[in-house]
């Protein structure tokens, strides 16, 4: 802003110079001055070039500032996204808030320039208001006492667009989330009926966006057209008032030309500022959404889950009086859970479907939150879920290179596991099968810095004959690398492998 203001002020001063040139031209053609016409022409061209130089400088400064601020807003969004509790991404409310916040960053970048236009309009008025009063104080008073308040009243109506803008941002974010889900389902589903159903749902969203967007756009257009109409009517009244002043001898033709030129020079930025009031409203709505996003995930932004006492993280898993129920469910998954597991041996969790084995791992991983419990658990965990989602492979390669450079003993263990699991060729392969993804996930868990690994049915996609050898290779590597494993599995294991674990039943 410190660099923008001087350039904007100099641009306004150049406009004042142009007004001086208009006055000089009137004097030249009236024979009141002996300034040569060529000298006047050279001076006006110079003023026009100076004005262009200042406007270009102002534009360069404002655009650099705007995109710099936009990048910082994007950085804030990404930083906040990274620090959100995982449970935020497992609720419809959290998904909507995240999508709306991203939409707000885009809207803010597209509409942030209105701030500079408003500053330029204010500076233009500061420069030209004394000039207008000097040329004709009665006409200037008429403008600012009668015309400007009326136009300002109309502009305030633009604030009606606020709820519509916020609603549109949320609708667009919901549609983008539905579209992402559709792409995932289309990749996995082949049934024509289901694909048609998803497409029909998206079409309904498109129609709603069309209707809401058209309604908001029509409101914007109508208000802008009303503003322009009021400007035309105001001009008519101003001309009529000028005729009244000229009839009574308070103004002559040259004064009218000067006043009209001054109004024209200062009116353009003011008019532009007025026309982008909807953009200002959209930018303010985006800021409101980002403020809400800043508090997303903190205590109080989601429904209260009861009392959870988090004891200092230790080497064991201890849960006392644990109670958990999924939102909207009729009964608890856990009502009074008591668990205490030490790191002496890996833990194998067994039990029938639906008793909460996977849910318990999600609670340990922080993807869900207890309704009430007293909990002590490791914080540095690596969770391999059933619905496996692999991160970008360059991250795995970075972890492996780091181990190779800093912890060579662990790197050797990791390479032996890669040989046993056959994962080396998978690091370059595209389109991994379910079993191949499971092998890469185990490699990732071993390469991670986490000291505790949670595995939820990790071998469900692995062929039966390969499951136990792969498990043994993983357990051997995990033991040598100092990692404690908690695994949920229905697999039937040999007695030799089963005795490696401490088996727990839910």
């Amino acid at each position: 802003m410190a660099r923008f203001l001087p350039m904007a002020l100099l641009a306004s001063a150049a406009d004042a110079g142009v007004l001086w040139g208009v006055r000089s031209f009137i004097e030249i053609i009236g024979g009141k001055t002996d300034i040569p016409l060529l000298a006047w022409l050279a001076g006006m061209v110079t003023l026009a070039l100076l004005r262009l130089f200042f406007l270009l400088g102002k534009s360069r400064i404002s655009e650099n500032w705007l995109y710099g601020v936009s990048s910082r807003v994007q950085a804030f969004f990404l930083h906040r996204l990274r620090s959100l509790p995982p449970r935020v991404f497992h609720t419809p409310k959290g998904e909507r808030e995240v999508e709306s916040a991203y939409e707000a960053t885009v809207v803010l970048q597209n509409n942030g320039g209105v701030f500079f236009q408003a500053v330029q309009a204010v500076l233009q008025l500061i420069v030209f208001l004394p000039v207008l009063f000097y040329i004709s104080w009665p006409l200037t008073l008429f403008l600012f006492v009668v015309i400007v308040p009326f136009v300002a009243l109309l502009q305030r109506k633009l604030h009606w667009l606020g709820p519509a803008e916020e609603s549109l941002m949320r609708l667009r974010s919901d549609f983008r989330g539905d579209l992402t889900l559709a792409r995932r389902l289309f990749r996995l589903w082949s049934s024509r009926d289901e694909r048609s159903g998803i497409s029909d749902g998206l079409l309904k969203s498109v129609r709603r966006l069309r209707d809401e967007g058209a309604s908001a756009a029509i409101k914007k257009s109508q208000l802008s057209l009303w503003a322009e109409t009021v400007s035309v009517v105001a001009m008519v009244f101003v001309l009529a008032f000028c005729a009244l002043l000229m009839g009574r001898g308070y103004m002559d033709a040259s004064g009218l030309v000067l006043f009209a030129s001054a109004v024209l020079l200062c009116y353009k930025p003011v008019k532009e500022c007025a026309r982008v009031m909807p953009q200002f409203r959209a930018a303010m709505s985006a800021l409101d959404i980002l403020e809400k996003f800043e508090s997303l995930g903190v205590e109080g932004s989601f429904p209260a889950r009861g009392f959870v006492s988090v004891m200092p993280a230790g080497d064991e898993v201890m849960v006392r009086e644990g109670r958990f129920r999924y939102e909207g469910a009729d009964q608890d998954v856990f009502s009074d859970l008591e668990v205490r597991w030490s790191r002496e041996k890996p833990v194998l969790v067994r039990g029938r479907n639906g008793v909460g084995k996977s849910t318990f791992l999600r609670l340990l991983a922080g993807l869900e939150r207890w309704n009430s419990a007293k909990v002590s658990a490791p914080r540095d965990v690596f969770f391999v879920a059933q619905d496996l989602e692999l991160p970008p492979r360059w991250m795995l390669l970075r972890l492996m290179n780091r181990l190779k450079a800093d912890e060579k003993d662990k790197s050797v263990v990791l390479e032996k596991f890669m040989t046993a699991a056959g994962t080396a060729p998978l690091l370059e392969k595209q389109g991994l099968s379910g079993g191949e993804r499971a092998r890469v996930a185990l490699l990732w868990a071993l390469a991670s810095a986490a000291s505790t690994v949670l595995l939820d049915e990790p071998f469900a996609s692995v062929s039966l004959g390969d499951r136990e050898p792969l498990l043994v290779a993983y357990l051997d590597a995990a033991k040598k690398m100092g990692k404690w494993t908690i695994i949920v599995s229905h697999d039937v294991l040999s007695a030799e492998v089963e005795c490696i674990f401490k088996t727990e039943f839910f």
Side-chain angles (χ1 to χ4, degrees):
M1 183 54 64
R3 296 173 57 200
F4 175 82
L5 283 174
M7 280 291 182
L9 193 58
L10 287 170
S12 296
D15 283 339
V18 171
L19 181 62
W20 172 85
V22 172
R23 179 183 178 185
S24 300
F25 180 76
I26 294 173
E27 293 179 348
I28 290 172
I29 62 175
K32 297 179 181 179
T33 181
D34 56 356
I35 298 176
L37 185 60
L38 286 177
W40 175 86
L41 181 61
M44 291 300 291
V45 170
T46 303
L47 276 173
L49 292 175
L50 282 173
R51 182 177 181 273
L52 176 63
F53 173 78
F54 296 139
L55 288 174
L56 288 175
K58 176 177 71 75
S59 175
R60 187 181 300 109
I61 292 170
S62 62
E63 292 300 327
N64 285 335
W65 184 89
L66 180 60
Y67 277 89
V69 169
S70 298
S71 68
R72 286 193 287 272
V73 171
Q74 293 277 3
F76 155 77
F77 171 78
L78 294 174
H79 178 78
R80 189 74 190 91
L81 194 68
R82 181 181 63 188
S83 62
L84 286 176
R87 63 191 172 87
V88 168
F89 301 97
H90 296 271
T91 64
K93 176 185 176 183
E95 289 284 356
R96 285 196 302 271
E97 293 291 343
V98 170
E99 288 291 344
S100 296
Y102 174 74
E103 183 71 26
T105 63
V106 176
V107 169
L108 197 61
Q109 178 173 331
N110 292 339
N111 296 279
V114 65
F115 172 71
F116 290 98
Q117 292 174 342
V119 171
Q120 180 64 61
V122 170
L123 289 176
Q124 203 82 340
L125 287 175
I126 290 174
V127 170
F128 278 89
L129 196 56
V131 176
L132 292 174
F133 269 102
Y134 175 76
I135 296 173
S136 175
W137 65 266
L139 188 53
T140 303
L141 282 178
F142 177 73
L143 279 175
F144 285 92
V145 173
V146 178
I147 301 300
V148 172
F150 182 66
V151 175
L153 177 65
L154 180 66
Q155 294 301 330
R156 281 201 293 272
K157 302 300 183 182
L158 290 170
H159 288 283
W160 293 348
L161 291 170
E165 288 290 343
E166 293 181 21
S167 176
L168 271 177
M169 277 188 272
R170 295 190 183 279
L171 282 176
R172 284 194 290 263
S173 64
D174 289 346
F175 176 75
R176 190 162 52 243
D178 292 342
L179 185 60
T180 300
L181 176 61
R183 288 201 301 267
R184 292 175 58 190
L185 295 178
F186 287 171
R187 189 171 65 244
L188 299 172
W189 288 1
S190 60
S191 170
R192 180 177 299 176
D193 289 341
E194 281 78 5
R195 292 168 70 93
S196 297
I198 292 293
S199 297
D200 291 343
L202 288 173
L203 283 174
K204 288 181 181 178
S205 297
V206 168
R207 293 188 191 103
R208 187 179 177 192
L209 271 173
R210 176 200 64 195
D211 295 340
E212 296 280 348
S215 176
I218 290 171
K219 285 182 180 179
K220 283 184 185 179
S221 178
Q222 288 176 343
L223 288 169
S224 295
L225 290 174
W226 270 106
E228 290 188 6
T229 302
V230 169
S231 299
V232 172
V233 173
M235 179 190 68
V236 172
F237 276 100
V238 168
L239 290 175
F241 193 75
C242 287
L244 180 64
L245 292 178
M246 293 175 70
R248 297 190 177 184
Y250 292 109
M251 178 181 283
D252 56 14
S254 61
L256 177 60
V257 171
L258 282 175
F259 194 90
S261 300
V263 169
L264 180 63
L265 286 170
C266 70
Y267 176 66
K268 185 176 183 298
V270 175
K271 181 181 177 183
E272 287 178 352
C273 184
R275 292 184 66 179
V276 296
M277 278 299 290
Q279 292 178 280
F280 176 76
R281 180 63 257 182
M284 294 306 297
S285 298
L287 285 175
D288 290 341
I289 289 176
L290 288 174
E291 284 182 5
K292 294 175 184 176
F293 178 67
E294 189 172 12
S295 63
L296 183 63
V298 301
E299 208 63 40
S301 61
F302 279 77
R305 301 289 286 170
F307 177 75
V308 179
S309 174
V310 181
M311 293 175 280
D315 290 338
E316 62 179 4
V317 169
M318 186 177 73
V319 179
R320 295 170 53 194
E321 303 172 15
R323 188 177 73 84
F324 175 78
R325 176 185 296 188
Y326 283 106
E327 189 174 344
D330 296 330
Q331 59 184 13
D332 293 337
V333 179
F334 304 117
S335 56
D336 192 17
L337 184 66
E338 300 284 336
V339 168
R340 186 162 189 169
W341 300 339
S342 69
R343 298 179 72 94
E344 294 176 359
K345 299 177 71 175
V347 177
L348 175 62
V349 182
R350 293 196 180 278
R352 58 186 176 82
N353 291 332
V355 297
K357 304 183 302 296
S358 297
T359 298
F360 185 71
L361 291 192
R362 290 172 60 82
L363 286 162
L364 291 181
L367 300 181
E368 303 290 350
R369 187 169 183 265
W370 296 95
N371 291 88
S372 61
K374 297 177 182 177
V375 181
S376 175
R379 292 180 182 171
D380 57 332
V381 300
F382 190 100
F383 179 46
V384 178
Q386 290 188 50
D387 49 345
L388 181 61
E389 193 71 42
L390 291 175
R393 294 185 199 178
W394 62 263
M395 298 179 69
L396 173 57
L397 296 174
R398 185 180 65 180
L399 287 173
M400 294 171 62
N401 290 334
R402 189 177 299 167
L403 281 177
K404 215 176 265 189
D406 301 335
E407 300 182 73
K408 294 184 179 179
D409 293 342
K410 290 184 178 181
S411 179
V412 171
V413 173
L414 197 65
E415 288 177 1
K416 288 183 179 178
F417 172 77
M418 291 175 64
T419 301
T423 56
L426 303 181
L427 298 182
E428 302 296 332
K429 183 181 176 183
Q430 301 296 323
L432 299 178
S433 68
E436 290 171 335
R437 289 168 64 83
R439 293 170 189 269
V440 174
L442 291 175
L443 175 64
W444 214 305
L446 291 171
S448 73
S451 61
T452 302
V453 178
L454 311 177
L455 302 177
D456 189 8
E457 296 289 354
F459 307 111
S461 300
V462 178
S463 61
L464 291 175
D466 290 338
R467 290 183 182 181
E468 191 164 297
L470 183 59
L471 174 60
V472 170
Y474 165 80
L475 290 173
D476 180 59
K479 181 178 180 180
K480 291 177 180 177
M481 298 179 75
K483 295 181 184 292
W484 182 36
T485 301
I486 300 173
I487 179 173
V488 167
S489 178
H490 290 101
D491 291 340
V492 178
L493 302 176
S494 66
E496 182 182 0
V497 175
E498 185 94 23
C499 70
I500 298 175
F501 295 95
K502 176 184 179 183
T503 304
E504 298 284 347
F505 291 91
F506 271 38

